[in-house]
Amino acid sequence: MQNYLLKNCLLVNEGTITATDVLVKNGRIEKIAPNIGTDTAVTEINAEGKHLFPGVIDDQVHFREPGLTHKANIYTEAKAAVAGGVTSFMEMPNTVPNALNLELLEDKYTIAANTSLANYSFFMGTSNVSADDTLKANLHKDKICGIKIFMGASTGNMLVDNYNTLDKVFRESEMLIATHCESESIIKENYEKLKAEKGELSPADHPVIRNVDACYESSLMAIQIARQYNTRLHILHITTAKELDLFGNMMPLKEKRITSEVCVHHLHFTADDYATLGYQIKCNPAIKAKENKEALWKALLDNRIDVIATDHAPHTWAEKQGGYEQTHAGLPLVQHPLLLMLHYAKEGRISLEKIAEKMSHAVADCFQIKERGYVREGYYADLVLVDVNKPYTVTKENILYKCGWSPLEGFTFPAAISHTFVSGHLVYENGVINESHRGQRLLFDRN
């Protein structure tokens, strides 16, 4: 494996920005210090004026393989991820077949080992009738990121609305449970009422159907069950101001038993954007009114919300056309989350240090990922070098998703990613991708 010496970078790590050199050797960070010299053969990279971040860890993506590969696959979406500085991902179980047992889960790990340019982990899924198979993940909790429960509609047979199933999984899980929280009964009632009133629905109806109450009631239920059993619960993609009262910031993240996540599209878009983007930004849970976006930002910065993710969920362009009932929910985002947050840093909304915390450090702490998420000597060299003064515009030509489109097309970021290292391998350099190495399976430090 090639070794690298990054000279004169501005390291954004653990709450500080420090001018330093970083030596990468045998896939790991060998040394962090000013003016590093070395007798061994290294490839030197002049990083003067550029910022070095720990690689982004995206704890929620849908890469669609197996079974839905007309939309995306692990190879294409991981390639897009590393181009965007995402060096590790955790992928959801609502593929086809649904990953509801260890055998099906390991099939996905095998695909990733052969094709993924980024590091990877996969959630074990559950359904109303598969709790026993789901809980076998306890035997492999050092090798699986967590259990995913859809407490709202999902692909296939993965809606879990049976209280006995929820009770059993929450009671017996020895690992983190991640939940999609929306009340199916409230959504159904809202849909039927609005459909009767209007007949034909529009994109702007989506946050009315999947409203604040649908999210709040489901999140409250998950938290109540988790508190009953002291379950390690992580609620995904929070979208409402009302839900934020359910989360606290009075203890360090590593001590929390209940944590939360916000996705980049809920920090960027509001319900006003349906007028121009329509079903491109239809997703579950829905993008809501602008007062929710402002509340999400506040909670992110005061640590009631713990991590930033994408919920990358690609569909073909054709699948995003048609009426309300026909268009698929989800949007592709994994190539641009770091750049989007750097846009908000430029606007003064968030600091560079906070970006590193919420997109890397906190994700590693939340999931107890082993030797990643920080730029530390001895850790794996998952690194992203950024030029914060080089604008980058999203175009059809530089979108790497298999689906070929992005709701951010035409948007110009104030920064560009120049280099991405995955486990010490330089996988992305100024638009060129090196596919000679594959990412590694994430491991977890759980007792």
Side-chain angles (χ1 to χ4, degrees), residues 196-214:
E197 290 175 0
K198 295 184 63 177
E200 186 175 343
L201 301 177
S202 70
D205 293 321
H206 197 52
V208 179
I209 293 167
R210 291 179 174 267
N211 67 0
V212 170
D213 289 342

Side-chain angles (χ1 to χ4, degrees), residues 124 162 210 237 251 256 296 302 319 321 356 364 370:
M124 170 68 87
N162 182 306
R210 291 179 174 267
H237 43 43
M251 64 178 66
K256 289 185 180 183
L296 292 171
D302 71 18
E319 290 170 336
Q321 312 306 306
K370 195 172 183 179

Side-chain angles (χ1 to χ4, degrees), residues 94-167:
N94 56 332
T95 40
V96 179
N98 301 151
L100 297 177
N101 60 54
L102 288 172
E103 182 179 3
L104 291 171
L105 191 66
E106 284 303 319
D107 287 345
K108 297 175 75 169
Y109 277 106
T110 299
I111 296 168
N114 290 326
T115 67
S116 179
L117 299 181
N119 304 315
Y120 50 86
S121 191
F122 296 90
F123 282 90
M124 170 68 87
T126 192
S127 70
N128 279 330
V129 296
S130 66
D132 289 337
D133 281 333
T134 297
L135 289 165
K136 291 176 182 177
N138 286 336
L139 300 172
H140 306 276
K141 60 188 176 183
D142 60 334
K143 295 180 180 179
I144 298 172
C145 52
I147 292 170
K148 172 67 181 287
I149 301 180
F150 287 92
M151 295 173 66
S154 173
T155 303
N157 187 36
M158 297 195 70
L159 169 63
V160 183
D161 56 3
N162 182 306
Y163 184 82
N164 290 330
T165 301
L166 289 171
D167 185 82

Side-chain angles (χ1 to χ4, degrees), residues 118-307:
N119 304 315
Y120 50 86
S121 191
F122 296 90
F123 282 90
M124 170 68 87
T126 192
S127 70
N128 279 330
V129 296
S130 66
D132 289 337
D133 281 333
T134 297
L135 289 165
K136 291 176 182 177
N138 286 336
L139 300 172
H140 306 276
K141 60 188 176 183
D142 60 334
K143 295 180 180 179
I144 298 172
C145 52
I147 292 170
K148 172 67 181 287
I149 301 180
F150 287 92
M151 295 173 66
S154 173
T155 303
N157 187 36
M158 297 195 70
L159 169 63
V160 183
D161 56 3
N162 182 306
Y163 184 82
N164 290 330
T165 301
L166 289 171
D167 185 82
K168 180 179 178 66
V169 177
F170 273 73
R171 184 176 68 248
E172 297 183 21
S173 175
E174 298 173 14
M175 57 199 306
L176 178 147
I177 294 175
T179 55
H180 176 138
C181 285
E182 290 184 287
S183 168
E184 192 68 13
S185 61
I186 292 175
I187 292 168
K188 185 178 180 181
E189 181 181 343
N190 291 341
Y191 171 77
E192 291 176 349
K193 180 181 178 182
L194 202 59
K195 184 72 173 175
E197 290 175 0
K198 295 184 63 177
E200 186 175 343
L201 301 177
S202 70
D205 293 321
H206 197 52
V208 179
I209 293 167
R210 291 179 174 267
N211 67 0
V212 170
D213 289 342
C215 295
Y216 180 82
E217 293 302 322
S218 184
S219 291
L220 176 61
M221 179 183 181
I223 288 171
Q224 288 173 331
I225 303 171
R227 285 177 175 163
Q228 182 179 357
Y229 298 117
N230 196 31
T231 310
R232 178 65 184 89
L233 172 66
H234 183 62
I235 300 186
L236 303 166
H237 43 43
I238 298 296
T239 60
T240 76
K242 188 175 182 180
E243 287 172 285
L244 298 172
D245 292 336
L246 299 172
F247 304 100
N249 58 5
M250 300 301 289
M251 64 178 66
L253 171 58
K254 288 183 178 181
E255 297 178 19
K256 289 185 180 183
R257 297 296 292 170
I258 297 172
T259 54
S260 63
E261 167 206 284
V262 66
C263 292
V264 291
H265 48 301
H266 296 122
L267 294 172
H268 183 63
F269 299 112
T270 72
D272 295 341
D273 293 306
Y274 291 112
T276 54
L277 291 169
Y279 291 123
Q280 285 188 57
I281 59 170
K282 179 186 178 185
C283 58
N284 301 333
I287 292 164
K288 295 180 174 66
K290 61 184 178 181
E291 61 266 23
N292 295 287
K293 172 182 168 177
E294 295 308 310
L296 292 171
W297 271 107
K298 184 177 180 181
L300 176 70
L301 296 175
D302 71 18
N303 296 327
R304 282 174 291 157
I305 291 178
D306 300 288
V307 304

Side-chain angles (χ1 to χ4, degrees), residues 1 3 11 17 36 75 88 94-95 116-117 138 149 176 210-211 214 233 249 303 327 345 360 363 377 424 426-427 435:
M1 176 174 280
N3 300 322
L11 176 60
I17 300 177
I36 295 175
Y75 165 74
S88 300
N94 56 332
T95 40
S116 179
L117 299 181
N138 286 336
I149 301 180
L176 178 147
R210 291 179 174 267
N211 67 0
L233 172 66
N249 58 5
N303 296 327
T327 53
S360 303
V363 192
E377 292 179 357
L426 180 56
V427 68
E435 301 188 17

Side-chain angles (χ1 to χ4, degrees), residues 320-374:
K320 297 296 282 185
Q321 312 306 306
Y324 183 81
E325 290 83 4
Q326 289 76 43
T327 53
H328 296 227
L331 51 158
L333 290 159
V334 79
Q335 191 175 340
H336 304 115
L338 179 56
L339 292 178
L340 193 55
M341 289 302 102
L342 290 170
H343 160 75
Y344 284 106
K346 191 83 167 182
E347 290 196 342
R349 176 82 76 147
I350 188 171
S351 69
L352 300 182
E353 297 94 324
K354 200 72 170 178
I355 291 172
E357 175 192 337
K358 295 297 184 178
M359 303 187 86
S360 303
H361 308 335
V363 192
D365 291 345
C366 186
F367 285 85
Q368 299 171 290
I369 302 171
K370 195 172 183 179
E371 298 175 332
R372 300 186 192 272
Y374 293 84

